[in-house]
Amino acid sequence: MNTLTKRMLLCCIAILCLSNLMAQAQEHVNGQLWMDTEGNHINAHGGNIIKYKKNYYWYGENRPYNGFTTEKGVGVYSSKDLKTWKNEGIVLPVSEEAGHDIERGCIMERPKVVYNKKTKKFVMLFHLELKGRGYEAARVGFAVSDSPTGPFKFIRSTRINANIWPFDMSEQDIEAAKKTDASQWKDWWTPEWRAEVNKGMYLWRDMAGGQMSRDMTVYIDDDGKAYHITSSQENLTLLVCELKDDYLGYTGKYNMIAPGGQNEAPCIFKKDGTYWLICSGCTGWAPNEARMFTSKSIWGPWKQLPSPFVGTATGYRNMPANKTFGGQGTYILNNVADYPIFMADIWNSRHLSQSMHLWLPINFDENGVPVIKWADNPW
């Protein structure tokens, strides 16, 4: 084989590899690594997708290969068809300033970006843990940008609604909560401890400094009102918190969902005037059975229903429905297909950057209740 023939052969092989790579990027099979246009796995976890003009933007945690702290920041990918994704880089980088809230080595999770039509700004909220303090800080961070691809400017981090009680809590219930004392309970999960939690023990404990915020999402309702829905009170209770018109702070109006229910990873969507909320239990990186709630109002009352997941995953270790097919929800993508799409992460605790993505169509049974079955891809 002469030199020219060898070069032509190598060129053909390169073209074939590139074609296979592009095909793989567009297929995005659930339970496998998803490649961007550069051939790298899409490292965007715990995030969300928005559409702005003609493009989609997928925000997420840029996770390290080793360890679990944030070394780079929040990244974004862009696409015109939700199948081929271009890496647009880090839009909210960590700070190199010692002691900064988002100093390198902090933990930045669950970034959610929304577009504010009034201010013409892109607003990011995310769960923040300060460097070296584990999951003690339990704050929400705010950042803002003029462009969907950043750079985002970090504004501040805070806890939620200090010295404000849930708007629907009666005076009698407030007085009962004030009589609790979280410092007295070293043994959790006893009936006596549970009774104190239901009275609002952790709500009262955190009243002065503000309520905790960990796994979270942001929901924009039909009227443009925005709500921060977050796991609080040591991951025992979900809070629904109304945001100000600029989405950069709180109005002070909030209430609780399923106090003491131990829910996290909230994902919400609305169909025909009914709200649906899908969450997970709290088992670290390990998958568990999803929970579902429904309400006619964002403020409740919320009714818990069985998990919407049915069957067994054929494409990822045969994970059953009671393990959410191996995933944990991050966002529900609506209005891009004839059905909502449940977005989730299949966590790889040893190498978080290699955690896989799981997108599944949400269908509805004869009673209009969501049902999620395994599919090789969301389309």
Side-chain angles (χ1 to χ4, degrees), residues 117-225:
K117 293 181 180 179
K118 292 182 179 179
T119 64
K120 312 294 185 186
K121 301 287 187 181
F122 297 86
V123 179
M124 181 190 298
L125 279 72
F126 58 96
H127 165 212
L128 174 66
E129 299 294 346
L130 303 179
K131 182 178 180 179
R133 290 175 53 180
Y135 279 81
E136 171 194 340
R139 294 187 184 186
V140 55
F142 290 87
V144 66
S145 174
D146 294 322
S147 166
T149 55
F152 279 76
K153 178 183 177 183
F154 177 74
I155 304 297
R156 68 182 178 283
S157 73
T158 183
R159 281 202 171 182
I160 301 172
N161 293 330
N163 295 310
I164 301 175
W165 292 93
F167 78 93
D168 56 351
M169 201 167 180
S170 69
E171 289 296 329
Q172 182 178 359
D173 289 340
I174 290 174
E175 290 305 313
K178 288 181 177 179
K179 294 177 182 178
T180 63
D181 185 356
S183 66
Q184 293 184 359
W185 297 93
K186 295 183 180 179
D187 295 325
W188 287 27
W189 311 116
T190 65
E192 296 79 11
W193 172 86
R194 172 67 69 181
E196 295 298 290
V197 169
N198 291 340
K199 291 178 185 177
M201 177 170 65
Y202 293 110
L203 179 70
W204 171 238
R205 181 198 67 180
D206 295 335
M207 184 58 58
Q211 301 304 313
M212 306 174 83
S213 178
R214 288 181 178 152
D215 277 13
M216 49 141 285
T217 193
V218 177
Y219 176 71
I220 309 295
D221 214 336
D222 300 335
D223 59 1
K225 281 284 187 182

Side-chain angles (χ1 to χ4, degrees), residues 3 12 17 41 43 82 96 99 127 142 182 186 189 208 212 223 231 256 260 283 302 307 309 321 357-358 365 368:
T3 302
C12 290
C17 290
H41 178 52
N43 192 355
L82 290 169
E96 301 300 335
H127 165 212
F142 290 87
K186 295 183 180 179
W189 311 116
M212 306 174 83
D223 59 1
S231 186
M256 300 183 288
T283 53
W302 290 86
S307 167
F309 290 83
H357 304 289
L358 176 66
D365 66 15

Side-chain angles (χ1 to χ4, degrees), residues 222-278:
D222 300 335
D223 59 1
K225 281 284 187 182
Y227 302 90
H228 177 210
I229 303 172
T230 188
S231 186
S232 188
Q233 300 172 22
E234 304 294 352
N235 288 5
L236 292 168
T237 301
L238 291 170
L239 302 183
V240 178
C241 308
E242 186 179 68
L243 293 169
K244 293 180 178 179
D245 287 347
D246 63 5
Y247 304 168
L248 291 173
Y250 299 95
T251 66
K253 183 177 182 180
Y254 76 106
N255 72 350
M256 300 183 288
I257 300 176
Q262 201 178 30
N263 294 287
E264 64 178 13
C267 304
I268 187 172
F269 73 106
K270 185 179 182 181
K271 179 177 172 58
D272 299 331
T274 297
Y275 298 86
W276 299 96
L277 181 66
I278 300 175

Side-chain angles (χ1 to χ4, degrees), residues 25-38:
Q26 293 180 13
E27 286 177 3
H28 285 167
V29 178
N30 284 323
Q32 298 180 14
L33 295 178
W34 290 14
M35 303 304 175
D36 63 17
T37 56
E38 296 176 349

